[in-house]
Amino acid sequence: MPVASRSFSKGDEHRSSYVGLNDDDAALIKTLGFTAKRYPADAVIFSQGDDSDRVYVVESGWGCISHELPDGQRQILDFALTGDVVLSQSIGSGSIGTFVAQTELSLLAAPTKTLELAAMKSPHVLSFIVGALMRNGAVMAQHLANAGRRNALERTAHLLLELTARLQRVGAVDRNGFDCPLTQYDLADALGLTPIHVNRMLRELRERKFLEFRQGHVRLLDYRGLAKFAGFDGEYIKS
């Protein structure tokens, strides 16, 4: 499914990518062969099947990693948010997924071997990288549980709570919630639902007074109630 064109810049310029790193370590990352790159919305950073061996650190913006199916559909495996580390994951015939910018996206990019040098230079950088990759694995496990064991309403709630927790780490959530550029088509591709089904789930969450998702903004109305309903424990985001 092609990605619809969109623009989304509100609130995207302000985040610190390097949660837990001091200024010297953050600067170190930029001196070890990482190249700053900026992509417009809908740009493809790497495609499924590419013979690529690179690592990306998200400085700002939203991206998504998806697996493309032969019939043109896609399954979104994860969203790439500020502070995340994305590997191109070249295995055998090439990358197992496609990395696309959801919004304007600022990245630091380098060959994966640069990670070894960065880790040798600073234990804080090593901790940052290992923590980010551990979160990636934990997030993927939760997405698998969503698809296999949570019903449609629970998985919709769980994903939105997960995005909340991940954005809180980088100061992108305020008392009114957070800006979210995802369309119902994006959510459908992440949740394994149809866009119409997603619309119904969002309406039901609103009617239950758990949250509202309107005009690119998620507003949490009853965080505790929603977390209990979805069985959400955000500890896996804190690694």
Side-chain angles (χ1 to χ4, degrees):
M1 178 181 296
V3 182
S5 177
R6 65 182 71 81
S7 62
F8 192 88
S9 59
K10 181 181 178 182
D12 264 351
E13 311 87 4
H14 54 308
R15 320 303 183 206
S16 170
S17 303
Y18 313 111
V19 176
L21 294 186
N22 61 37
D23 290 342
D24 289 341
D25 289 321
L28 175 64
I29 286 180
K30 297 185 178 182
T31 67
L32 294 175
F34 282 85
T35 302
K37 294 181 178 293
R38 198 167 185 88
Y39 297 88
D42 304 325
V44 177
I45 292 86
F46 60 77
S47 296
Q48 187 170 310
D50 285 354
D51 184 11
S52 176
D53 186 21
R54 297 183 69 77
V55 58
Y56 302 87
V57 178
V58 181
E59 289 205 287
S60 67
W62 289 57
C64 76
I65 300 96
S66 62
H67 186 75
E68 312 298 318
L69 302 178
D71 63 1
Q73 297 187 80
R74 65 173 181 167
Q75 175 65 47
I76 292 180
L77 305 175
D78 194 13
F79 296 102
L81 309 177
T82 301
D84 285 347
V85 174
V86 179
L87 300 177
S88 57
Q89 298 176 301
S90 181
I91 299 176
S93 60
S95 173
I96 62 173
T98 295
F99 183 19
V100 174
Q102 295 284 123
T103 68
E104 188 174 87
L105 191 62
S106 293
L107 302 173
L108 295 175
T112 53
K113 63 182 180 181
T114 304
L115 291 179
E116 299 177 13
L117 179 59
M120 292 171 57
K121 291 284 187 178
S122 168
H124 297 110
V125 171
L126 174 60
S127 178
F128 165 73
I129 293 167
V130 171
L133 295 178
M134 288 177 63
R135 280 192 303 279
N136 289 354
V139 165
M140 291 293 290
Q142 289 293 333
H143 291 182
L144 181 60
N146 266 350
R149 286 293 180 260
R150 295 185 179 108
N151 65 39
L153 191 61
E154 290 169 345
R155 76 178 76 161
T156 302
H158 198 279
L159 177 61
L160 291 171
L161 286 167
E162 178 185 276
L163 292 173
T164 302
R166 292 170 67 180
L167 291 168
Q168 280 177 328
R169 296 186 72 254
V170 293
V173 177
D174 60 29
R175 60 191 298 177
N176 295 316
F178 62 92
D179 293 328
C180 181
L182 304 180
T183 68
Q184 290 182 15
Y185 288 93
D186 297 325
L187 291 173
D189 288 344
L191 295 168
L193 304 172
T194 66
I196 292 175
H197 204 168
V198 168
N199 181 273
R200 291 172 180 163
M201 296 304 96
L202 293 176
R203 183 173 66 244
E204 184 166 348
L205 290 173
R206 183 175 67 250
E207 290 173 349
R208 293 190 183 202
K209 301 188 184 305
F210 281 143
L211 63 78
E212 291 181 343
F213 190 175
R214 298 178 186 272
Q215 298 180 331
H217 188 84
V218 174
R219 186 161 74 98
L220 300 170
L221 305 175
D222 180 4
Y223 178 88
R224 290 184 180 180
L226 185 60
K228 182 178 180 180
F229 168 76
F232 178 77
D233 180 352
E235 287 299 313
Y236 69 97
I237 301 298
K238 299 177 181 179
S239 60

